[in-house]
Amino acid sequence: MASSTSEYIQHHLKHLSVSLGEPGGFWTFHLDTLFFSIALGLLFITTFGFAARKVTAGVPGKWQNFVEIVIDFVNTQVKDCFHGRNPLIAPLALTIFVWIFLMNFMDLIPVDLLPVMGEWFGLDYLRVVPTTDVNLTFGMALAVFFLILFYSLKVKGPRAFIKELTLHPFNHWTLIPFNFVLEIVSLLAKPISLSLRLFGNLYAGELIFILLALMSLNFTSITSLSDTSLFLMQVVLALGWAIFHILVITLQAFIFMVLTIVYLSMAHEEH
Amino acid sequence: MNINATLIGQMITFGLFVWFTMKFVWPHILNAMQEREDKIADGLAAAERGRHELAIAQEKVTEQLREAKTKAAAIVDTAHKKADQLIEQARTEAVVEKKKIVQQAQEEIAQEKYQALQALKQHVAVIALSGAEKIIGREVDEAANKDILDQLIEEL
């Protein structure tokens, strides 16, 4: 394990990765992000798929009941925000909500637990919260962005879509370049804000857990407090932050889902 | 915060999970929920219908009960009347019979009285004759005095 504060933090922020090209280049894969996100995604589809395979219209079991509550919740959101008819939107929203929630939930596992266990198996670095990897959040946001473009072109047609991009705030031909720049910025802002919001919240959350963990690791020599009081402070602060974080992880999953629905709804409607 | 190929991997994974959810999870569960909703709605409607039918049946029962009571009362009434009639008839018959019996008895009494009287008359005549014989002390010729004797009996 690292021996100083900055090394400890940097160690926690480094991905377990393999590079196909030059080290650190584009063809690098973050194995930990991929592993945990796929594992949690599989957990989601197997458990929900289990409920779907055994689903009954009669008296539901406990698990089916829970799944139905989640699905009903997502369905309500979709019905409230999305007025078109598209069989993709609701399953997409459900996947986003549950998957992001599960990945965010990894943040509540003690920061050193899985990395230390990883070291037993010879893994030098391990970041267990996939949503603190901007590649994941940006990947999802980009997928949503492509869906926005696809449905904009499909539902409105290329002509209407270009019209919307060029004639939208100010309907005059002299202002077409100005409009275009404005609309392109607002269009590109959608995936960027979507991904950076999730990434930023979770990254900051994890960083705070790492900083709190530092207290009892006693890497700080700048305080005059005793080990015991530092330990107690860490317990209290980590507990408070974890409880607050339960709200954050749910809220971030919810926001990502709702914004996706809203953006896709906008892609379906003519202004 | 370096963008790399992980992003592509994540997009593919994301797409596959969404596809799976859309294909195997969402429709099944939503269908089941819809089906249950329909079932519950049907059940509630059936319950409402049942309640309505029960109310109608109860009304019918009350109606029939009332009818039956009226009928029973009518039957009891006619039975009473019939009984009264029978008693009256029996009484009249009894009275007639009584009269007849009494009349017969009276007739018999009259006849017997007459016969007894006849016998008594004969007897008195005999006694009177024997008394007269004794008084006269002599034998009276019965044949000679028969006309007197008969006249006497007639007079008695």
Side-chain angles (χ1 to χ4, degrees):
Chain A
M1 190 177 277
S3 55
S4 78
T5 305
S6 62
E7 268 175 42
Y8 174 80
I9 294 173
Q10 272 165 15
H11 182 263
H12 264 290
L13 296 180
K14 217 164 200 165
H15 284 284
L16 179 71
S17 51
V18 291
S19 293
L20 297 180
E22 52 185 307
F26 179 76
W27 290 106
T28 307
F29 289 95
H30 290 165
L31 293 181
D32 44 7
T33 304
L34 286 168
F35 172 75
F36 283 111
S37 64
I38 290 171
L40 290 168
L42 287 176
L43 178 72
F44 158 61
I45 60 168
T46 47
T47 51
F48 274 57
F50 175 77
R53 202 168 56 247
K54 296 207 152 187
V55 75
T56 165
V59 181
K62 284 190 175 67
W63 177 244
Q64 191 192 329
N65 216 344
F66 172 76
V67 170
E68 280 184 9
I69 288 169
V70 176
I71 284 186
D72 199 40
F73 168 72
V74 173
N75 205 20
T76 312
Q77 298 300 328
V78 173
K79 275 185 180 156
D80 283 351
C81 302
F82 188 83
H83 302 298
R85 277 181 84 63
N86 190 336
L88 174 72
I89 306 300
L92 175 75
L94 176 71
T95 311
I96 287 175
F97 181 63
V98 181
W99 196 25
I100 291 184
F101 175 79
L102 287 174
M103 291 191 288
N104 289 353
F105 189 84
M106 297 299 286
D107 213 0
L108 294 177
I109 295 172
V111 280
D112 277 313
L113 182 67
L114 292 174
V116 167
M117 284 166 74
E119 269 176 29
W120 299 343
F121 298 101
L123 304 174
D124 296 331
Y125 302 102
L126 195 64
R127 287 184 66 180
V128 298
V129 190
T131 37
T132 57
D133 186 350
V134 78
N135 286 298
L136 182 138
T137 61
F138 200 55
M140 289 179 82
L142 215 54
V144 171
F145 179 65
F146 287 149
L147 284 175
I148 292 171
L149 291 183
F150 175 72
Y151 283 115
S152 291
L153 289 172
K154 189 187 165 199
V155 178
K156 296 173 187 165
R159 261 181 63 115
F161 186 45
I162 289 166
K163 244 186 194 168
E164 198 181 293
L165 289 177
T166 50
L167 296 171
H168 185 229
F170 308 106
N171 194 357
H172 192 271
W173 63 271
T174 51
L175 288 167
I176 283 176
F178 180 72
N179 286 339
F180 187 68
V181 170
L182 215 62
E183 285 295 309
I184 286 294
V185 167
S186 81
L187 189 66
L188 292 180
K190 283 173 185 173
I192 292 172
S193 68
L194 206 55
S195 60
L196 290 187
R197 180 183 302 107
L198 179 61
F199 165 73
N201 270 283
L202 270 291
Y203 190 83
E206 189 178 50
L207 211 57
I208 287 176
F209 276 121
I210 293 169
L211 294 175
L212 289 174
L214 277 172
M215 298 178 85
S216 63
L217 288 169
N218 207 15
F219 287 159
T220 43
S221 48
I222 48 168
T223 60
S224 53
L225 293 163
S226 69
D227 284 358
T228 334
S229 55
L230 276 172
F231 176 74
L232 284 175
M233 265 173 76
Q234 188 206 331
V235 169
V236 171
L237 289 173
L239 177 70
W241 184 242
I243 290 170
F244 176 64
H245 221 59
I246 294 172
L247 176 71
V248 172
I249 62 174
T250 320
L251 196 65
Q252 287 306 321
F254 177 71
I255 288 172
F256 202 109
M257 174 189 82
V258 168
L259 285 179
T260 303
I261 300 168
V262 169
Y263 291 157
L264 286 173
S265 167
M266 283 160 72
H268 280 71
E269 285 162 11
E270 305 231 7
H271 290 279
Chain B
M1 222 191 105
N2 44 341
I3 299 290
N4 56 37
T6 314
L7 183 143
I8 297 167
Q10 287 301 339
M11 281 174 70
I12 294 167
T13 323
F14 181 45
L16 288 176
F17 287 151
V18 171
W19 170 79
F20 184 90
T21 311
M22 189 173 140
K23 199 89 184 161
F24 299 108
V25 178
W26 188 269
H28 295 275
I29 291 175
L30 216 65
N31 280 349
M33 285 165 79
Q34 187 62 46
E35 204 176 304
R36 185 178 319 118
E37 218 172 281
D38 293 346
K39 260 191 198 171
I40 290 170
D42 283 353
L44 287 176
E48 190 54 47
R49 218 165 33 240
R51 217 179 352 244
H52 188 64
E53 270 165 21
L54 182 68
I56 289 176
Q58 252 161 0
E59 221 164 89
K60 214 180 252 177
V61 165
T62 332
E63 181 67 30
Q64 277 177 348
L65 211 63
R66 205 170 38 237
E67 231 167 74
K69 267 184 190 161
T70 338
K71 237 181 232 174
I75 288 168
V76 169
D77 212 30
T78 42
H80 270 305
K81 263 182 203 157
K82 192 111 184 182
D84 283 349
Q85 204 179 330
L86 279 176
I87 289 168
E88 197 54 45
Q89 200 178 339
R91 188 175 284 145
T92 8
E93 270 170 23
V95 168
V96 170
E97 192 73 10
K98 182 189 99 186
K99 267 184 188 162
K100 215 157 73 184
I101 290 167
V102 168
Q103 202 175 352
Q104 230 168 17
Q106 272 172 348
E107 269 169 23
E108 260 172 48
I109 288 166
Q111 203 170 353
E112 271 180 29
K113 188 179 157 193
Y114 175 73
Q115 277 173 357
L117 212 64
Q118 280 315 94
L120 200 64
K121 272 180 188 170
Q122 211 115 34
H123 201 61
V124 168
V126 172
I127 290 170
L129 197 62
S130 68
E133 267 175 17
K134 272 172 189 164
I135 292 167
I136 298 168
R138 295 291 178 269
E139 193 134 354
V140 179
D141 187 8
E142 212 169 300
N145 298 309
K146 187 154 173 36
D147 55 331
I148 305 165
L149 211 60
D150 282 341
Q151 205 183 335
L152 211 66
I153 288 165
E154 275 308 303
E155 274 172 21
L156 275 171

